[in-house]
Amino acid sequence: MKLVRYGAKGAEKPGLMDGDTLRDLSAHVDDINGDMLGDAKLAELAKIDPATLPAVEGSPRIGACVGNFGKFLCIGLNYSDHAAETGAAIPEHPILFFKANSAIVGPNDDVVMPRGSAHTDWEVELGVVIGKEAKYVSKDNALDHVAGYCIVNDVSERHFQTQLTGQWTKGKSCDTFGPTGPYLVTRDEVPDPQNLAMSLDVNGKRMQTGNTATMIFSVAEIIEHLSQLFTLHPGDIITTGTPPGVGMGIKPTPVYLKKGDVMTLEIEGLGRQTQKVDQDG
């Protein structure tokens, strides 16, 4: 299934995609969130004939594909080819940082650069949404704890990230810096999360081309590692790193986003995002 949240920000309704038709799920669930992401509830929803659900009229705003989420966990330098472009060593363990939940927006909402920003960058990433509590799990059964997958744009202000003394979180957590969705694609539709083509364009020019096959740590290995440190709860989002082609890696002169730019992101089977870039005064 491709689960969707649609409507005005803060008032999104649950839906699912029936081919190209968005259908309303409000009669069956209150929202797409951790409370309904377990296997039993997803199996119950999968039994519904989509044709019996009301079609949603018009073209409503699409919200982040998970509501009332818990943790927003991010893995850095997790693609061997991206580590090479930044000159970074291959990490021995997954690099973890947190992104403020207030950064999460819909997949097609504007990305608003913070006041004074001149180093805002793009990162297409595979997002993983936890559906079942995970504590001390092994990589052999880690994927059983996944509800589904989505696209995340891990927008990053590089000056804030690297120069404002402290953790990467400073450059990752600005408002609107976490477009998520459009769909939460349930794991049964993604048999191999380690073989998904991914891309990102800026103003129609291809900047990132990659495949989750080049991850240093697989989705299962990431879940295993994190679950040794703390409990992963239903609705938690893990974004798993980006392939090469980010602006800061362009030689000889890095390229960063500016007001009016348009980013388009795609991951095989997970849909497409498009964001226009604006800037706070």
Side-chain angles (χ1 to χ4, degrees):
M1 292 180 292
K2 291 182 174 65
L3 300 173
V4 183
R5 298 174 69 248
Y6 68 95
K9 188 171 184 178
E12 292 91 348
K13 296 180 179 181
L16 63 76
M17 297 305 300
D18 176 19
D20 293 330
T21 301
L22 173 60
R23 296 190 178 272
D24 181 42
L25 266 179
S26 298
H28 299 273
V29 292
D30 293 331
D31 199 357
I32 308 300
N33 58 30
D35 292 338
M36 52 73 61
L37 290 178
D39 288 349
K41 187 61 179 180
L42 292 178
E44 181 182 321
L45 294 179
K47 294 177 181 178
I48 299 170
D49 179 358
T52 66
L53 299 171
V56 177
E57 301 296 331
S59 300
R61 169 187 174 270
I62 302 299
C65 59
V66 181
N68 195 29
F69 38 80
K71 299 182 283 293
F72 195 0
L73 306 159
C74 306
I75 305 300
L77 292 175
N78 193 37
Y79 282 70
S80 54
D81 34 13
H82 173 55
E85 77 170 341
T86 62
I90 299 296
E92 183 178 353
H93 306 286
I95 294 173
L96 173 66
F97 60 93
F98 284 74
K99 204 174 184 83
N101 287 4
S102 54
I104 297 184
V105 292
N108 304 315
D109 291 343
D110 287 354
V111 166
V112 182
M113 299 185 296
R115 190 172 296 175
S117 169
H119 300 87
T120 297
D121 204 349
W122 54 84
E123 293 189 11
V124 59
E125 305 203 3
L126 173 66
V128 180
V129 179
I130 298 298
K132 180 171 69 173
E133 186 174 294
K135 179 70 170 178
Y136 299 130
V137 302
S138 74
K139 65 181 180 181
D140 294 332
N141 66 0
L143 297 186
D144 295 340
H145 296 262
V146 173
Y149 301 91
C150 60
I151 306 173
V152 174
N153 189 353
D154 178 20
V155 185
S156 309
E157 214 299 342
R158 301 302 187 186
H159 179 78
F160 294 5
Q161 179 184 352
T162 63
Q163 302 300 316
L164 295 188
T165 309
Q167 298 182 340
W168 290 0
T169 298
K170 290 183 178 182
K172 299 285 190 171
S173 291
C174 304
D175 294 347
T176 75
F177 273 24
T180 301
Y183 318 126
L184 172 60
V185 181
T186 52
R187 75 170 187 271
D188 58 297
E189 293 196 14
V190 186
D192 184 6
Q194 303 309 144
N195 186 26
L196 300 175
M198 54 205 310
S199 65
L200 183 147
D201 296 352
V202 178
N203 300 328
K205 180 180 179 181
R206 181 59 46 89
M207 305 304 292
Q208 288 187 274
T209 301
N211 191 291
T212 57
T214 67
M215 281 186 184
I216 297 166
F217 302 102
S218 69
V219 171
E221 290 169 332
I222 290 167
I223 293 172
E224 177 186 58
H225 179 74
L226 296 182
S227 76
Q228 312 308 307
L229 308 175
F230 46 77
T231 303
L232 297 170
H233 294 100
D236 286 352
I237 301 171
I238 306 168
T239 188
T240 55
T242 198
V246 297
M248 70 177 295
I250 295 175
K251 305 290 192 297
T253 304
V255 174
Y256 296 112
L257 294 166
K258 61 185 183 301
K259 183 176 180 178
D261 284 345
V262 176
M263 294 177 283
T264 304
L265 297 73
E266 293 189 67
I267 296 182
E268 183 179 354
L270 303 186
R272 170 187 288 195
Q273 299 184 350
T274 300
Q275 300 106 32
K276 186 175 181 180
V277 178
D278 202 349
Q279 184 155 26
D280 274 344

